[in-house]
Amino acid sequence: QVQLVESGGGLVQPGESLKLACAASGMISSFYDMGWYRQAPGKERELVAIVSNGGSANYSDSVKGRFTISRDSAVKTVFLLMKSLKPEDTAVYYCYARYSDFEWWGQGTQVTVSS
């Protein structure tokens, strides 16, 4: 049984920063990929950023240069540092982890960017 628990969401003003964290628990010692997706109201869930167990990271074009993903494999935690937040970043952010053909999702954390 694997559980992903997100933390760090909240309400911020445009231009501010926020850091999300996702801690994984369970029998998997090291995930292949860990990352973040988001879903805004009325829109499909989309990839934000993902990082492999080798440290290779990929970002959506909309967040490149503003968001940084990192992971601490020793404690099975992935982070998302979000800078220069925009109102269009408002969404529920979901943590994601993959091991072989198995995937897991967190329950989601709300990020709202509004003045």
Side-chain angles (χ1 to χ4, degrees):
Q1 189 82 350
V2 171
Q3 284 190 320
L4 304 177
V5 179
E6 302 108 333
S7 62
L11 171 64
V12 296
Q13 294 189 345
E16 293 186 337
S17 300
L18 206 58
K19 188 172 185 178
L20 305 181
C22 171
S25 61
M27 295 179 61
I28 304 298
S29 60
S30 180
F31 298 96
Y32 290 0
D33 300 315
M34 296 188 78
W36 295 90
Y37 285 71
R38 68 186 181 187
Q39 188 167 19
K43 295 188 177 181
E44 294 187 354
R45 191 174 296 190
E46 63 174 359
L47 172 70
V48 176
I50 196 162
V51 59
S52 71
N53 56 5
S56 177
N58 286 291
Y59 298 89
S60 71
D61 288 341
S62 62
V63 306
K64 275 181 184 176
R66 299 188 298 123
F67 291 10
T68 302
I69 190 170
S70 60
R71 66 187 282 179
D72 185 340
S73 295
V75 293
K76 295 187 290 187
T77 302
V78 63
F79 304 94
L80 185 68
L81 176 60
M82 305 182 291
K83 295 183 177 179
S84 302
L85 282 161
K86 304 175 181 179
E88 50 263 45
D89 294 317
T90 295
V92 177
Y93 284 69
Y94 295 92
C95 181
Y96 166 87
R98 183 181 71 88
Y99 181 84
S100 184
D101 293 331
F102 299 93
E103 298 178 328
W104 295 270
W105 295 89
Q107 80 286 356
T109 185
Q110 177 70 45
V111 172
T112 302
V113 185
S114 175
S115 55

